[in-house]
Amino acid sequence: MKNLGDKSDNQLSQSLMGHSLFISDLHLCASRPHITTVFLDFLKDTASQASALYILGDLFEYWAGDDDIQDVHHQPIISAFKHLADAGTKLYLMHGNRDFLISSEFCDAAGMTLLPDPSLINLHGKTVLLSHGDDLCTDDVEYQKFRLQVRTAKWQEDFLKLPLQVRKNQIETIRMRSEHEKSQKSMQIMDVNQAAVEHLLTIHHYPEMLIHGHTHRPHEHKIQLDGHNLTRWVLGDWYEQGSYLRCDQFGCKVLSLLQE
Ligand code: LP5
Ligand code: MN
């Protein structure tokens, strides 16, 4: 006969089994149809084998509001997510700096759970902190000012009242200004700030791993902090190829779709 002890043992072994995938910075858009095709194949062939898929921001080149879910480029992506979720893969989405206007209408249609940034999870028995990563780029003062402004509820409420096409036009203006300003900033300014990383890890009680994207500089960083050995995984973008992090109870490794 089963007792409560058996149940929690069972739940623990369930969480240790299987594997999870992490991706970010796909920047999907109608003008790069090849990457959308690669991504739809990834969902069908690779993510369908995983117990969970975590998308850590910037899934889209930009997101102007959930009233854009009917767009012909967005529809097949949303349907593919829903199909995957219905087949049993858990789907988690975190906002990036380009798609933070994704809301519940999109998530419900796609069968996804929206995660706050940062989020602490239990990943196959390990404590792992997830973030998009832009909040850690504290040396990029101009960007942080912009971020503070557009992440307020009031600003978003006012912006979303504008007609969809007006929002898209304003976003185009910001993208052009952002590209120009980025060309004037050093690589160091646009990277994460080490003290910000260490502060985040400390206030979350030294999780074994931090996984984030945004900087498009994929790497496994080993960190020693207050006597703890931690790992910071940086995910790659999907401009040239699909790269993803695969984690199970034995550890994590970066894989590329071109290697398969
Ligand atoms: O994304 P990435 O890596 O290329 O660059 C980021 C920072 N840039 C941004 C802007 C986005 O790329 C494009 C816009 C996304 C749309 C969001 C939806 C709704 C917003 C609508 C607002 C009206 O995030 C870039 C960082 C870089 O990461 C590295 O960390 O450097 O930051 C910038 O370049 C920002 C500039 O420094 C400041 C921009 C101020 C723009 C203010 C424009 C206001 C005028 C509005 C006119 C309608
Ligand atoms: Mn980003």
Side-chain angles (χ1 to χ4, degrees):
M1 200 172 86
K2 283 192 179 299
N3 61 29
L4 280 176
D6 292 336
K7 193 172 171 217
S8 60
D9 286 351
N10 188 35
Q11 280 171 344
L12 183 64
S13 61
Q14 285 284 327
S15 78
L16 290 176
M17 283 181 349
H19 66 273
S20 300
L21 305 178
F22 296 83
I23 53 175
S24 71
D25 303 283
L26 289 92
H27 294 239
L28 300 179
C29 59
S31 59
R32 281 196 293 270
H34 170 65
I35 286 300
T36 302
T37 306
V38 170
F39 181 57
L40 292 174
D41 287 346
F42 166 81
L43 292 182
K44 186 159 52 75
D45 302 332
T46 309
S48 57
Q49 311 299 313
S51 37
L53 171 67
Y54 292 83
I55 303 174
L56 301 186
D58 289 356
L59 170 64
F60 294 107
E61 180 73 358
Y62 68 83
W63 191 257
D66 279 8
D67 48 346
D68 207 15
I69 59 176
Q70 300 306 335
D71 179 271
V72 288
H73 175 252
H74 298 151
Q75 271 299 311
I77 299 168
I78 293 167
S79 302
F81 280 137
K82 188 72 172 78
H83 187 75
L84 191 59
D86 288 346
T89 300
K90 294 250 182 293
L91 301 180
Y92 299 99
L93 180 75
M94 187 174 278
H95 285 152
N97 57 298
R98 286 163 171 261
D99 53 12
F100 59 85
L101 289 175
I102 288 180
S103 192
S104 54
E105 207 180 322
F106 175 92
C107 291
D108 291 349
M112 283 179 164
T113 302
L114 193 62
L115 292 177
D117 183 355
S119 282
L120 198 60
I121 62 164
N122 183 316
L123 181 68
H124 308 291
K126 296 186 172 68
T127 5
V128 176
L129 190 62
L130 307 177
S131 177
H132 177 58
D134 58 320
D135 204 21
L136 296 169
C137 300
T138 53
D139 295 330
D140 196 341
V141 176
E142 288 309 309
Y143 169 64
Q144 294 300 337
K145 275 195 245 166
F146 170 72
R147 186 183 198 277
L148 214 57
Q149 183 188 357
V150 296
R151 296 299 180 99
T152 62
K154 173 79 176 95
W155 185 91
Q156 294 186 11
E157 196 187 305
D158 289 346
F159 185 69
L160 289 170
K161 280 184 194 148
L162 300 170
L164 180 59
Q165 193 53 52
V166 174
R167 275 177 265 149
K168 289 186 175 183
N169 295 344
Q170 290 198 3
I171 289 171
E172 284 303 334
T173 308
I174 291 169
R175 287 173 74 202
M176 280 193 302
R177 178 144 162 211
S178 171
E179 286 308 312
H180 172 72
E181 293 201 13
K182 281 197 305 180
S183 70
Q184 319 280 315
K185 293 177 191 173
S186 70
M187 290 295 278
Q188 195 192 333
I189 280 182
M190 291 190 287
D191 203 354
V192 298
N193 173 290
Q194 188 61 22
V197 169
E198 291 181 2
H199 176 70
L200 188 72
L201 290 168
T202 305
I203 62 173
H204 288 90
H205 310 291
Y206 310 99
E208 287 168 65
M209 288 188 261
L210 165 64
I211 306 175
H212 71 83
H214 182 66
T215 59
H216 303 201
R217 300 177 212 193
H219 196 69
E220 178 185 4
H221 298 266
K222 294 290 181 194
I223 302 174
Q224 283 196 328
L225 183 61
D226 301 336
H228 301 267
N229 291 315
L230 317 171
T231 305
R232 176 168 71 94
W233 286 98
V234 186
L235 304 173
D237 63 51
W238 279 49
Y239 284 136
E240 302 292 332
Q241 55 176 275
S243 81
Y244 59 98
L245 187 69
R246 182 194 192 280
C247 299
D248 60 22
Q249 60 176 307
F250 304 108
C252 298
K253 62 179 172 181
V254 178
L255 294 167
S256 164
L257 288 170
L258 293 185
Q259 293 164 350
E260 291 182 345

